[in-house]
Amino acid sequence: MMEPLLSRLRPRKEQGTYALSLVYGKTVYHYLISQDKAGKFCIPEGTKFDTLWQLVEYLKLKADGLIYRLKEACPNSSASAEAAAPTLPAHPSTFTQPQRRVDTLNSDGYTPEPARAASPEKQRPMPMDTSVYESPYSDPEELKDKKLFLKRENLLVADIELGCGNFGSVRQGVYRMRKKQIDVAIKVLKHSTEKADKDEMMREAQIMHQLDNPYIVRLIGVCQAEALMLVMEMAGGGPLHKFLIGKKEEIPVSNVAELLHQVAMGMKYLEEKNFVHRDLAARNVLLVNRHYAKISDFGLSKALGADDSYYTARSAGKWPLKWYAPECINFRKFSSRSDVWSYGVTMWEAFSYGQKPYKKMKGPEVLDFIKQGKRMECPPECPPEMYSLMSDCWTYKWEDRPDFLTVEQRMRNYYYSLASRAEGSPQCGQVAEAACG
Ligand code: ADP
Ligand code: MG
């Protein structure tokens, strides 16, 4: 084989685009990295990513159209090479405790996803190492069979319960596709003659069917057999709040920020697609592993009309009031900005390591509390930057609240700042000790 294999990344004059140059033997190959309308980065016809480093990390694992997987960076000798990896933040994997990987999830019988590519320099699984980063239908062969309704014979429903709710239970299973079998979570509608329940589950399926993002639980399809079943990709690490309870010593604040940043990326995607979630809470953020979270439970979600920025509920229902913005409760108006409010509460739950929000208060009392201008206090472990962001998410007037575009950016900046701080400090894993209050 021809050696060495070297690569260099530099910004181009055209704003937002980058040139990736690979040296193979004596030949230099140049690839254009561009951003689409939504700001996602990709090489031509390659997989799209929210950030440049995610793309680079991915290209280290998969060639994805390049002549080879990214390996070594060119030495930074010339002036032009100075620009290599310009705004590329430090690799966040440098600041967590590598020896404690996902295995720690296992104590509660979770079935976390193992790392697929276990190269020696990889200390822990990145989301893109897992089988649920991309849709199983991203393979064109598999896409041929993509239909909303799945054949029962391809579905194995195991007698293992992953969770339960009003609708029935969520069971573990396996779905057989053309080329592979995948682990799935199956929401089984309890035996009910009520057409309304079936309609509700089908509405949830219709919403999920339109979404495809690494930080959102994907729908594989629906199966109508012994019961109506919603077949989803598996996020076996359980809900975020349960995972964090009692783990202050074990899970550093940087890990919490990492997961919340992923939630923000998923929510930014929903905002772009004009969907409102309406039930964003730590209980509906499921983990694939300790470093990978996905938004789930689209039971209350709505697709907004092309010209609408909010949805008005006909009547108030069984609502998670403690997560709802004032305009939801007062006027039944739901928008991405009201999801931002819920994101703030989710942040509070995460940084308080799974505490219940507004502890002793009843739902309706919370609205009074908010109207008086009061807000939940900064959790002891929570960094001031993060408390400031959650406080902004709790801006009373929805017009003045940040959107997810802003929230994601602030989360990302903070998370990356931890990564670069950790890189420069000898005490990796000790980042974000700075707590407020
Ligand atoms: P509900 O509408 O009743 O809140 P959820 O969709 O939140 O239902 O699911 C309830 C529980 O089932 C979750 O808390 C989780 O434990 C489990 N569950 C749901 N979806 C998945 C999934 N895709 N992978 C793994 N577990 C899941
Ligand atoms: Mg739920």
Side-chain angles (χ1 to χ4, degrees), residues 7-10 21 73-85:
S7 53
R8 175 193 293 167
L9 181 68
R10 62 185 162 78
S21 309
C74 284
N76 248 8
S77 50
S78 71
S80 67
E82 279 270 69

Side-chain angles (χ1 to χ4, degrees), residues 413-427:
N413 289 345
Y414 178 69
Y415 174 54
Y416 286 176
S417 76
L418 293 185
S420 40
R421 240 186 280 167
E423 270 232 316
S425 108
Q427 290 163 300

Side-chain angles (χ1 to χ4, degrees), residues 327-340:
E327 72 274 14
C328 305
I329 303 167
N330 292 332
F331 310 110
R332 305 189 308 276
K333 267 186 170 184
F334 294 86
S335 62
S336 293
R337 303 296 171 110
S338 53
D339 279 346
V340 165

Side-chain angles (χ1 to χ4, degrees), residues 268 271 389 402-412:
K268 186 173 92 168
E271 179 177 83
L389 178 57
D403 56 9
F404 276 111
L405 191 73
T406 311
V407 169
E408 189 275 325
Q409 197 169 30
R410 284 177 63 181
M411 265 324 293
R412 188 190 335 153

Side-chain angles (χ1 to χ4, degrees), residues 279 283-284 296-297:
D279 201 4
R283 64 180 170 277
N284 289 327
S296 76
D297 197 347

Side-chain angles (χ1 to χ4, degrees), residues 111 117 286 304 306 349 385 412:
T111 50
L286 302 182
L304 299 177
E349 292 179 275
E385 297 91 330
R412 188 190 335 153

Side-chain angles (χ1 to χ4, degrees), residues 309-320:
S309 61
Y310 60 86
Y311 159 82
T312 312
R314 250 178 270 146
S315 58
K318 247 182 96 182
W319 284 351

